[in-house]
Structure formats: structure tokens, C-alpha cells
Amino acid sequence: MKVVISSDHAGYDLKIKVKEHLEKKGYEVIVEGATSGTEPFSYVEAGQALAKDVLEGKAERGIAICGTGIGISIVVNKFKGLRCGLCNNEFMARMLRQHNDGQVLAMGARVVGLGVALNMVDAFFDEQFAGERHAVRVNDIKKQEEDLFK
Ligand code: RB5
């Protein structure tokens, strides 16, 4: 599976560690966003680059990182068709897949430690969408996008 990972400067160090983790597991990883942890890089630009890669089919899933995860998750969720969840623990990352069919996991590099971050990444890739009643709700999100955000 192809994955895109993007961050601002605050998420740069964690991004590189997550990238290495995913590559060890055999994923093909596209890196977007900040190229260092010291030069300021907008989470807006980082989120936009990730969103475009997923929507254009260059990557199937995304991991979005900024200091809190808040800014970049807001940016990604502004793109029609993307469901990005800001998660702080493994349970949330698992539910993002199982209940919400999220394609993008967001996290805060100043919020979670490396162990929690990698556990979330693993849960996000291991878990499947449960469908059924959850599919009805995800479809309602899609309808909302059609009705309100034309
Ligand atoms: C950068 O200082 C910080 O504002 C950013 O990483 C993020 O936390 C915004 O939501």
C-alpha cells in the first residue's frame, strides 16, 4: 500500500520516525511537508499536499502531523471526500478505521510520545472498516458534502 505522510516543522522529527517504521513494514511512503524541524513550515501547506496526494490516488492513506494535530486535521477535513481523525491513543486510531472509514490519521507530535504514535499507526493500518450501520453514517457524511459544500 502507498502511504503519504506530511508534517509541519513541529511534526518533522516524528514524521521521519513514522516513515522509517512504515518502510520497515513494507509500505511505500511519500513524504510531504517540512524538510526540517527548525525552519517554520505551515501546517496548512503540509495538509494540502497530503490531501491532494490522496485525492489524486498517489496514496491510499495518509498520516498528518503537526504540533497538536489540530491544525493539520482541520485542513485535511476541508477537502471533499477525505475523512481525517485526530487521535491520541490506539483505540481512537482503531475506531477511525472501524467506524469512520477514515483515510487520514492525524496526530500531535507535542502531544503523544513515539510509542503511542507507532501503536496508533499500526492500529490504523491493521483495522478494517466495519461497514453496516457505520456505512450508513459515512454515506450520510458524503451526502452532507454533496448538499452543503458544492
Ligand atoms: C506550530 O507552532 C503549531 O501551531 C502547529 O504545529 C499546530 O499545532 C497547529 O495546529
Side-chain angles (χ1 to χ4, degrees):
M1 185 192 290
K2 279 193 190 169
V3 180
V4 55
I5 179 163
S6 190
S7 75
D8 68 355
H9 56 286
Y12 176 76
D13 290 348
L14 181 58
K15 172 172 72 176
I16 297 306
K17 289 184 179 123
V18 172
K19 171 190 179 278
E20 289 166 0
H21 178 74
L22 287 171
E23 284 175 343
K24 270 189 213 145
K25 296 189 122 200
Y27 292 95
E28 197 176 321
V29 183
I30 299 169
V31 179
E32 300 281 14
T35 52
S36 92
T38 49
E39 195 68 27
F41 191 103
S42 167
Y43 64 80
V44 179
E45 201 183 318
Q48 289 169 341
L50 178 148
K52 284 176 189 158
D53 284 353
V54 177
L55 289 172
E56 287 170 6
K58 291 181 188 155
E60 212 174 302
R61 302 265 184 89
I63 297 181
I65 308 174
C66 65
T68 58
I70 297 170
I72 201 163
S73 63
I74 291 171
V75 172
V76 173
N77 275 317
K78 297 286 180 192
F79 283 78
K80 186 176 174 183
L82 292 185
R83 290 174 301 283
C84 171
L86 171 55
C87 299
N88 292 328
N89 57 54
E90 186 188 328
F91 175 73
M92 293 175 80
R94 206 167 277 291
M95 291 305 108
L96 172 63
R97 287 294 311 134
Q98 199 185 106
H99 286 192
N100 311 112
D101 200 17
Q103 312 101 317
V104 183
L105 167 66
M107 63 179 82
R110 294 172 178 161
V111 179
V112 295
L114 180 60
V116 171
L118 298 184
N119 282 347
M120 291 199 293
V121 169
D122 289 345
F124 179 66
F125 286 103
D126 288 348
E127 198 66 44
Q128 303 295 319
F129 181 47
E132 299 185 359
R133 72 180 193 278
H134 304 294
V136 175
R137 289 162 192 163
V138 169
N139 278 332
D140 286 344
I141 294 174
K142 291 176 185 168
K143 276 188 220 154
Q144 177 181 296
E145 286 176 327
E146 292 305 324
D147 294 346
L148 299 177
F149 299 112
K150 273 180 197 161

